[in-house]
Amino acid sequence: MSLTLRETPAEGVALVRINRPEVRNALNIDVRRELAVHFREMEEDDGIRCVIIAGDDTAFAAGADLKEMSEKSTIDMYMMGSRKLWKAISDFPKPIIAAVNGFALGGGCELAMHADIIIAGEGAQFGQPEIRVGIMPGGGGTQRLLRAVGKYKAMKLLLTGELVTAADAEKMGLVSEVVPDAEVMERAVVMAGRIAKAPAVAVRQIKEVVTNGADASLESALWLERKAFETLFDTDDQKEGMAAFLEKRKPEFKGR
């Protein structure tokens, strides 16, 4: 049985599901490798404009697989090469939506934070409980959580390992939107479909500027924005979009 499943729920949209329900979709090294393969393939597929990543109705991903790592040494962990596997997702140039039901804990919370938009069910729970088993986040949790919610909320979650509800996660800026549990995937597909129909070069430039500008000085980030903005005036979609607006018709974007 495949540890991950890939579907096409709408035109231009890919859905990647983690498929280990017996362990609440815990992220072992094989799952991480399969996810990396999917993302590398989807990066090269021009027909894919937006990606949804999900688990199942009870868990997005309940963390790393502790059975796999409990007896490993420092060199064992180093040789696993998990940094390269995470990088296939963090460097992905197209928008990613995390559709979260149930638990998104530890590595699962870190995976959700690799997305650009997080849609959570009302019953979802988020957290970085690694401190409870003697370690700390190692997939970007300390840094992405800090940037999402600020130092004081991040430190509380990281040092206590406590979980937060979807509603509280939304209040602190960790979640984009909360919907009823049964509507998570439907909402994610609708949003992804809308993004997939948008001008693809502009979409990618927005993600690139937001991602790279986040840790730059304001002056440098504004320079990145201006250059990307100007570049879009050489695209067919800019000409079509503005012409359609002036002609009061729906634009037909071609992605170039």
Side-chain angles (χ1 to χ4, degrees):
M1 182 176 67
S2 178
L3 300 177
T4 58
L5 304 171
R6 195 158 113 200
E7 308 166 28
T8 306
E11 184 178 356
V13 177
L15 166 61
V16 179
R17 288 186 182 273
I18 304 166
N19 186 39
R20 297 187 76 205
E22 71 283 0
V23 288
R24 292 180 174 173
N25 297 322
L27 302 172
N28 65 8
I29 192 65
D30 291 330
V31 169
R32 296 174 199 261
R33 285 172 180 152
E34 286 191 21
L35 288 174
V37 169
H38 284 306
F39 276 89
R40 288 170 186 144
E41 290 176 351
M42 293 186 297
E43 181 173 350
E44 299 300 320
D45 187 341
D46 291 337
I48 295 174
R49 302 282 187 86
C50 187
V51 173
I52 301 167
I53 187 162
D56 55 36
D57 291 342
T58 60
F60 177 75
D65 191 330
L66 295 186
K67 286 185 179 179
E68 180 181 67
M69 64 171 56
S70 62
E71 298 298 323
K72 289 192 180 298
S73 66
T74 299
I75 194 64
D76 290 334
M77 295 300 294
Y78 174 77
M79 293 302 292
M80 284 172 68
S82 60
R83 290 179 304 283
K84 291 188 296 182
L85 305 179
W86 281 118
K87 196 167 176 59
I89 306 173
S90 65
D91 288 355
F92 190 68
K94 306 172 190 180
I96 303 170
I97 297 174
V100 179
N101 281 107
F103 295 112
L105 309 179
C109 188
E110 290 171 317
L111 179 59
M113 288 191 290
H114 276 67
D116 303 295
I117 296 169
I118 301 177
I119 298 174
E122 292 172 335
Q125 295 186 71
F126 295 81
Q128 299 286 166
E130 289 91 342
I131 192 74
R132 297 181 184 180
V133 294
I135 56 171
M136 62 177 281
T142 60
Q143 302 308 305
R144 287 192 170 86
L145 189 62
L146 170 66
R147 285 157 174 76
V149 306
K151 174 184 175 181
Y152 301 106
K153 291 289 188 184
M155 288 294 279
K156 178 184 177 184
L157 296 180
L158 293 165
L159 294 177
T160 66
E162 71 179 36
L163 311 187
V164 295
T165 65
D168 286 340
E170 184 182 29
K171 288 176 186 175
M172 65 176 66
L174 181 57
V175 164
S176 309
E177 187 174 316
V178 178
V179 299
D181 290 335
E183 297 176 16
V184 171
M185 186 53 62
E186 178 184 357
R187 178 61 178 148
V189 171
V190 168
M191 189 177 294
R194 181 176 180 180
I195 293 169
K197 290 181 175 129
V201 181
V203 167
R204 290 178 68 148
Q205 285 288 284
I206 288 169
K207 175 165 180 172
E208 186 175 311
V209 170
V210 170
T211 302
N212 290 291
D215 295 322
S217 68
L218 178 59
E219 183 177 358
S220 296
L222 290 173
W223 182 89
L224 285 172
E225 179 189 81
R226 174 58 58 179
K227 285 299 182 183
F229 172 77
E230 292 167 352
T231 297
L232 292 174
F233 281 78
D234 267 345
T235 64
D236 293 342
D237 284 346
Q238 174 267 325
K239 301 297 184 288
E240 166 63 11
M242 292 191 178
F245 178 83
L246 294 172
E247 295 164 11
K248 296 180 171 52
R249 61 175 174 82
K250 187 176 180 180
E252 296 183 12
F253 295 123
K254 304 297 184 184
R256 54 182 187 269

